[in-house]
Amino acid sequence: MSPNYGVWSKEELITRLTDLEHQLKASPNYKKRAPSPVGGRPFHFKDHQLRKIAVKFCYSGWEYNGLAFQIDPTPLPTVEEVLFRAFAKARLVDAEAGLDGCGWERCGRTDVGVSAAGQVVSLWVRSALPKNDASQSVDAPEASEAAVEPPQQSEAELPSASGERSEVENDESDLPFLDLINEPPSNSSAPPPRTEELHYVSILNRVLPPTIRVLAWSPVSPDFSARFNCQHRHYKYFFTAHALDVPLMQQAANHLIGEHDFRNLHKIDPAKQITDFHRRIMKAEISPVSGDGENQVYVFDLVGSAFLYHQVRHIMAILFLVGTGLEPPSIVLALMNVDGTEPSPTDQPLPIVDRKPEYQMSDGLPLMLWDCAFADSDVQWQSDNDGSAESGSGTGLNHQLHSVHQRSLIHTALESHFHAAATQYHPSPPQHFPFSQTGFTTATIPLISGKEPAALSVPLGGGTYRRGVKYVPLLSRKRLHHVEVVNERWRNGKGSRKVERLDAVGVSENEDE
């Protein structure tokens, strides 16, 4: 007769369980069970169908050490390493094959601190659809045929954007969505063919930190490239009207339209060994966004086929100099007149500027990669379209980003009141810019107490300034070395050492704008 465990005390039950455990282990047929894989069941990535997709996502750049994956350790994680880790955690890509193994390509890279609202990557991912589905691209290259994977840190060594272990690093048993992404073991009976694709947007957003959000995905052809199929890229740079003549800045921006040599409006990266600096700009327009007076926020929309390293931030630095009145709008034409072929808008010939003058580029915080444009025949963006309001998908994603925006507005109001409180005891400094409104020039700015020259605060964007008591016109400043000299010096120095280092670890070098 079986014991009536319902009337046993807690201590009696524990004693009984301990006795049964000892009896089991003492049995000659007892075998210690091997620990099961993470998630409780085996997963064989090679047994699953693949397809190529493009993914559109946004991220807060100030949380990351730039977009591109880095071989060497970085102070903050990069966007790509966190995003790839999410793909791997969701078993959408083979983690062991790395970025090259899934054919990972980005549309364009953004630097440290720069954000994006419409960045795009393309890659091969796991699919739930059968091989004969018409929308399925199945002939993915083998990982062994791709470039060798760069050495990567283990998941435990990769920090989250906040410096703590992120949600991506949790055990799979903590993740409520595994039923969406797990398939039965390969030795079990096959399930009925699926007619609905995996919910890529929801799956990724549930394992990504809030500072990276996947917006949409699109099926693409096997030969699609997020980088080379992109028709144009659209950047936005936000700034306030404080100390600036915005119409003068627009006059200068108008000169950017068309194809020009932008070698003097970017930072030379000799590692890329670029020799052609011509790029085509389709739009360069300044528009109001919000606010009024000196707190009026404007956005500079710059659309081009492609961009050089730090090109947008260098252009904005020049526009700020024009907006203050320190440089005329024609300075943009002069900086693009590398070989004397840039047409002059007046009877006076433009000076030839074959080398870049020394100047500081604008701050990266206000810069955003707004969109990467593709032909309609290449991409058809879609979300999960399940009508769900759950977090990370559909209206849930909209709610998340709306909440972030609301908190940002509150922060703006708080900072405004902090400034107002300080103004009661610390008056605002004299306003020198823009010269078109104050009537000053660099030679007529009043001395402090009639003796000392006043410091000029030249805006660099994002609330940052370059202070100095003397302004040297751009064309009178020291010029940097010719591009050919910089490229050759790198080839003979760091370049040769880098090639040796990459060869030693078996990594291929990819050039990217």
Side-chain angles (χ1 to χ4, degrees):
M1 182 176 178
S2 301
N4 184 10
Y5 294 118
V7 297
W8 285 31
S9 68
K10 178 180 177 181
E11 290 74 15
E12 292 173 328
L13 289 171
I14 292 176
T15 301
R16 176 60 173 163
L17 288 173
T18 303
D19 290 341
L20 291 174
E21 185 178 357
H22 289 160
Q23 294 176 27
L24 177 63
K25 289 182 178 180
S27 170
N29 296 325
Y30 173 76
K31 291 183 179 180
K32 186 177 180 180
R33 181 180 179 185
S36 61
V38 176
R41 44 184 163 174
F43 185 89
H44 306 289
F45 193 88
K46 61 182 177 59
D47 294 337
H48 297 275
Q49 193 59 40
L50 301 180
R51 75 180 306 169
K52 194 170 191 182
I53 67 171
V55 175
K56 177 175 283 192
F57 59 101
C58 62
Y59 52 88
S60 305
W62 55 86
E63 297 278 357
Y64 297 96
N65 210 80
L67 169 72
F69 176 86
Q70 301 294 324
I71 297 176
D72 299 323
T74 54
L76 292 172
T78 66
V79 175
E80 276 191 335
E81 80 183 34
V82 175
L83 183 60
F84 176 78
R85 189 172 60 197
F87 272 98
K89 186 68 174 180
R91 293 171 174 170
L92 296 177
V93 300
D94 186 354
E96 296 181 358
L99 275 74
D100 291 325
C102 63
W104 185 285
E105 286 187 282
R106 72 179 79 93
C107 180
R109 64 188 302 167
T110 55
D111 196 46
V112 178
V114 178
S115 302
Q119 180 65 272
V120 174
V121 297
S122 57
L123 71 162
W124 290 87
V125 297
R126 180 168 63 88
S127 173
L129 299 182
K131 184 174 182 178
N132 59 358
D133 188 280
S135 65
Q136 184 68 33
S137 301
V138 297
D139 298 324
E142 295 291 335
S144 59
E145 297 177 1
V148 180
E149 174 196 1
Q152 299 186 44
Q153 299 165 282
S154 67
E155 231 178 59
E157 296 171 332
L158 290 173
S160 68
S162 64
E164 303 291 338
R165 289 176 62 84
S166 71
E167 186 180 357
V168 181
E169 298 165 350
N170 294 337
D171 286 342
E172 291 179 3
S173 58
D174 296 333
L175 301 177
F177 67 99
L178 282 177
D179 288 340
L180 290 174
I181 62 176
N182 280 337
E183 301 291 341
S186 56
N187 59 357
S188 65
S189 58
R194 288 186 56 152
T195 58
E196 182 183 8
E197 186 54 281
L198 296 173
H199 293 175
Y200 294 119
V201 174
S202 298
I203 290 171
L204 290 168
N205 281 337
R206 293 200 186 180
V207 292
L208 281 167
T211 47
I212 303 177
R213 297 286 85 186
V214 172
L215 305 177
W217 71 279
S218 171
V220 295
S221 64
D223 59 353
F224 176 87
S225 166
R227 179 184 176 192
F228 295 107
N229 282 66
C230 183
Q231 295 183 329
H232 66 257
R233 295 157 177 87
H234 183 174
Y235 283 90
K236 288 179 178 285
Y237 195 100
F238 298 88
F239 64 96
T240 65
H242 176 66
L244 295 172
D245 185 328
V246 176
L248 271 182
M249 296 173 68
Q250 182 62 66
Q251 288 183 38
N254 291 338
H255 296 313
L256 298 167
I257 303 297
E259 184 172 320
H260 304 279
D261 190 315
F262 287 99
R263 71 182 63 199
N264 294 326
L265 289 162
H266 93 295
K267 181 178 181 179
I268 298 175
D269 183 359
K272 293 182 173 60
Q273 293 289 293
I274 295 177
T275 56
D276 183 6
F277 301 91
H278 285 82
R279 297 294 185 271
R280 183 166 58 91
I281 300 297
M282 289 91 86
K283 180 180 181 180
E285 185 176 297
I286 299 175
S287 308
V289 176
S290 62
D292 52 34
E294 69 172 18
N295 292 323
Q296 170 78 63
V297 177
Y298 287 86
V299 61
F300 175 51
D301 286 284
L302 191 65
V303 180
S305 55
F307 289 89
L308 298 165
Y309 185 40
H310 288 328
Q311 181 179 342
V312 183
R313 292 171 64 182
H314 278 73
I315 289 174
M316 277 306 307
I318 300 303
L319 294 185
F320 285 144
L321 293 177
V322 172
T324 59
L326 291 169
E327 297 288 346
S330 61
I331 188 64
V332 173
L333 287 172
L335 291 173
M336 297 188 300
N337 192 38
V338 174
D339 54 7
T341 58
E342 192 72 32
S344 173
T346 66
D347 295 336
Q348 298 296 322
L350 293 170
I352 296 178
V353 186
D354 62 343
R355 289 179 296 159
K356 178 185 172 184
E358 289 184 335
Y359 64 93
Q360 186 174 346
M361 67 180 176
S362 64
D363 190 75
L365 176 65
L367 179 58
M368 169 186 286
L369 174 59
W370 173 247
D371 193 23
C372 303
F374 299 89
D376 292 340
S377 57
D378 285 337
V379 298
Q380 301 83 44
W381 297 116
Q382 55 191 269
S383 62
D384 293 338
N385 293 324
D386 57 2
S388 170
E390 85 181 303
S391 178
S393 166
T395 56
L397 178 57
N398 186 301
H399 177 72
Q400 285 180 5
L401 297 180
H402 180 264
S403 297
V404 172
H405 181 217
Q406 292 296 304
R407 291 186 65 83
S408 298
L409 292 176
I410 298 301
H411 277 291
T412 298
L414 290 171
E415 300 292 352
S416 175
H417 281 68
F418 291 153
H419 180 238
T423 303
Q424 300 177 59
Y425 308 99
H426 305 274
S428 299
Q431 182 82 359
H432 300 128
F433 300 129
F435 287 165
S436 60
Q437 296 176 14
T438 64
F440 292 132
T441 66
T442 53
T444 62
I445 292 178
L447 299 176
I448 299 177
S449 301
K451 295 183 287 188
E452 299 179 2
L456 299 178
S457 296
V458 181
L460 293 172
T464 61
Y465 297 85
R466 182 180 179 89
R467 290 176 59 83
V469 297
K470 183 180 180 181
Y471 180 78
V472 179
L474 273 179
L475 300 185
S476 300
R477 297 183 188 181
K478 178 183 176 180
R479 304 289 175 89
L480 303 181
H481 292 290
H482 283 285
V483 171
E484 294 79 7
V485 174
V486 177
N487 282 343
E488 183 178 5
R489 181 187 300 156
W490 186 88
R491 286 195 302 270
N492 297 332
K494 290 183 178 179
S496 60
R497 294 192 295 272
K498 181 178 180 181
V499 170
E500 292 175 359
R501 187 171 72 253
L502 294 179
D503 288 343
V505 297
V507 177
S508 60
E509 182 178 5
N510 296 319
E511 179 182 309
D512 191 13
E513 290 182 339

